[in-house]
Amino acid sequence: MRRYLIAAGIVLGLFVILAGVKFKQISKLIGFGKAAEVAGPPPEAVGTAVASTDTWQGELAAVGSVAPARGVTISNEIPGVVKAIRFESGAVVKAGQVLVELDASVEAAQLASAQARLQLATTTGARTKRLLEGGAATQVQLESDEAQQRTALADVTALRAQIEKKTVRAPFAGRLGIRSINLGQYLNPGTPITVLESLGSVYVDFSLPQQFLGQAVVGTPVNVAIASAKGEALQGKVAAVDPTIDAGTRTIKLRATVQNAAERLRPGMFVNVAVVLPKQDPVVTVPAMSVVHAPYGDSVYVVEPKKDESGAVVKGPDGQPAKVARQQFVRLGPSRGDFVAIAEGLKNGEEVVTQGAFKLRNGAPVAVNNSVKLTPSLDPHPINR
């Protein structure tokens, strides 16, 4: 019996010892949890930038389409067989340059016959006139001969005009398109031969909301840039403003004239248009990547020192002031390159989060790390575009 009591006492002692060890471990974990609750979550590493004030030229942004200042589809006026082709696809031609010659052998023979009749009628009319002066002919005969002479002259003129129409010429100087005909091909009237466009100056057609009608007037400067190409924007001016407003879109159509000596713009191109306004406004700008877009509004995270209930700045373990992120809703203005203007909600000099904003919430502790920092630009040119 005594042996069983000793064994039970040993087991009870081991149980008490294990219970004490577990109690201490659990108490220690509870203490760690309370300490972590007081300290809050660890700070998130973020990159930041400082909001700055800049002066931007007032602009009205739009998208446009390039149209030729002068463009036409070259076609034949009368039917015929292609006798000669005097141009190459894509060639630059002068005004009046011969492009295509149609076979005019039949008309040439008819012209020779008409010229012979004209010569005979002219000779006959002159003879009758001399006879009339001598009293050997009548006035009626002279008038009949002169009518035949005029008829023959009209036939010659008509045949010459028909032969001239067998030669297709460039109506103005410009660049030709791709040839659509072949040698020996029979052409019906109006058959497209090629296109001719003058590219030294082009039109850019675009639209603006109706509220900007009074700002974009004839003569207002515009900058035209190709979205997928590098290089400086081309300058032009508003040449025409449509007097009517589209009832469906409430927009007004405008046309700008742009010099295109280097032929960077081609008809049908999509371009970005900026109507330059005379007014320059100071704006608060931040990198566009710092803006968090959401259905309930746009916002930025402003980095500021953490404060306790008394308003004193809280310091971190390193002795430096601890920082937190404050979500600030903003109203966006126009954008330029990698920057966006803040019309309302942000002041000059405030530090905003540019990298890592997606993982923040209002009041979240942050640790600023700008060792790896992107460099935004007002005129970016990505290397992969």
Side-chain angles (χ1 to χ4, degrees):
M1 186 67 181
R2 182 178 179 185
R3 186 178 302 173
Y4 288 111
L5 292 175
I6 293 173
I10 294 174
V11 172
L12 181 61
L14 291 174
F15 178 77
V16 171
I17 293 173
L18 290 175
V21 172
K22 287 298 180 182
F23 178 77
K24 289 183 178 180
Q25 290 177 346
I26 294 173
S27 299
K28 190 174 183 180
L29 290 176
I30 293 174
F32 286 157
K34 291 182 178 180
E37 183 180 358
V38 173
E44 298 284 358
V46 296
T48 62
V50 178
S52 60
T53 301
D54 197 359
T55 302
W56 284 1
Q57 181 75 48
E59 289 185 353
L60 301 177
V63 295
S65 179
V66 180
R70 287 193 298 177
V72 66
T73 299
I74 304 294
S75 60
N76 57 306
E77 188 174 348
I78 58 177
V81 177
V82 178
K83 178 182 178 181
I85 299 175
R86 306 293 185 186
F87 72 95
E88 296 293 335
S89 299
V92 177
V93 296
K94 299 179 181 179
Q97 182 173 332
V98 176
L99 302 179
V100 175
E101 294 180 6
L102 302 180
D103 182 25
S105 56
V106 175
E107 288 80 1
Q110 293 174 348
L111 176 62
S113 176
Q115 287 176 332
R117 291 196 303 271
L118 174 61
Q119 185 177 4
L120 177 60
T122 302
T123 303
T124 301
R127 184 184 301 115
T128 302
K129 187 175 183 180
R130 289 194 302 270
L131 292 175
L132 178 63
E133 291 174 354
T138 63
Q139 182 66 30
V140 174
Q141 182 64 37
L142 177 61
E143 291 175 354
S144 176
D145 292 342
E146 288 179 345
Q148 291 181 1
Q149 180 182 356
R150 290 193 295 271
T151 301
L153 178 61
D155 292 340
V156 170
T157 303
L159 286 170
R160 284 176 176 171
Q162 191 171 3
I163 291 174
E164 179 62 25
K165 290 181 182 297
K166 291 277 187 173
T167 302
V168 181
R169 301 176 183 271
F172 53 85
R175 184 178 293 276
L176 296 172
I178 297 175
R179 177 165 57 89
S180 302
I181 61 171
N182 294 302
L183 194 65
Q185 180 179 347
Y186 177 80
L187 303 183
N188 290 314
T191 301
I193 297 173
T194 186
V195 296
L196 174 64
E197 294 178 346
S198 177
L199 300 179
S201 176
V202 295
Y203 292 138
V204 175
D205 297 328
F206 60 99
S207 299
L208 289 174
Q210 64 179 16
Q211 58 264 32
F212 300 124
L213 175 61
Q215 302 183 49
V217 297
V218 174
T220 304
V222 298
N223 293 327
V224 177
I226 305 173
S228 59
K230 297 181 180 179
E232 296 182 357
L234 299 176
Q235 282 75 40
K237 291 184 178 181
V238 175
V241 180
D242 198 316
T244 60
I245 294 177
D246 192 310
T249 61
R250 308 303 178 188
T251 59
I252 186 167
K253 296 181 180 179
L254 299 96
R255 168 168 285 184
T257 303
V258 181
Q259 295 301 318
N260 188 37
E263 296 187 4
R264 290 174 54 192
L265 301 179
R266 296 297 179 94
M269 269 188 173
F270 161 83
V271 292
N272 292 324
V273 182
V275 181
V276 182
L277 302 178
K279 187 178 180 181
Q280 294 185 353
D281 297 321
V283 292
V284 177
T285 63
V286 295
M289 67 185 75
S290 62
V291 180
V292 178
H293 303 281
Y296 48 81
D298 301 319
S299 63
V300 297
Y301 282 98
V302 180
V303 177
E304 56 187 13
K306 182 178 181 180
K307 297 181 180 179
D308 57 16
E309 297 179 356
S310 62
V313 176
V314 177
K315 294 191 177 183
D318 57 355
Q320 298 296 324
K323 295 185 176 181
V324 295
R326 174 175 56 86
Q327 188 176 21
Q328 176 65 48
F329 287 93
V330 295
R331 184 167 61 87
L332 302 182
S335 60
R336 301 281 173 86
D338 296 328
F339 288 89
V340 62
I342 304 298
E344 185 178 346
L346 197 64
K347 297 179 181 179
N348 178 40
E350 290 188 301
E351 187 178 13
V352 297
V353 175
T354 58
Q355 301 175 68
F358 65 92
K359 57 186 176 182
L360 298 180
R361 66 183 188 285
N362 191 30
V366 294
V368 178
N369 182 4
N370 289 324
S371 58
V372 179
K373 190 174 183 180
L374 299 176
T375 305
S377 172
L378 285 173
D379 187 23
H381 295 290
I383 59 176
N384 61 341
R385 292 183 62 184

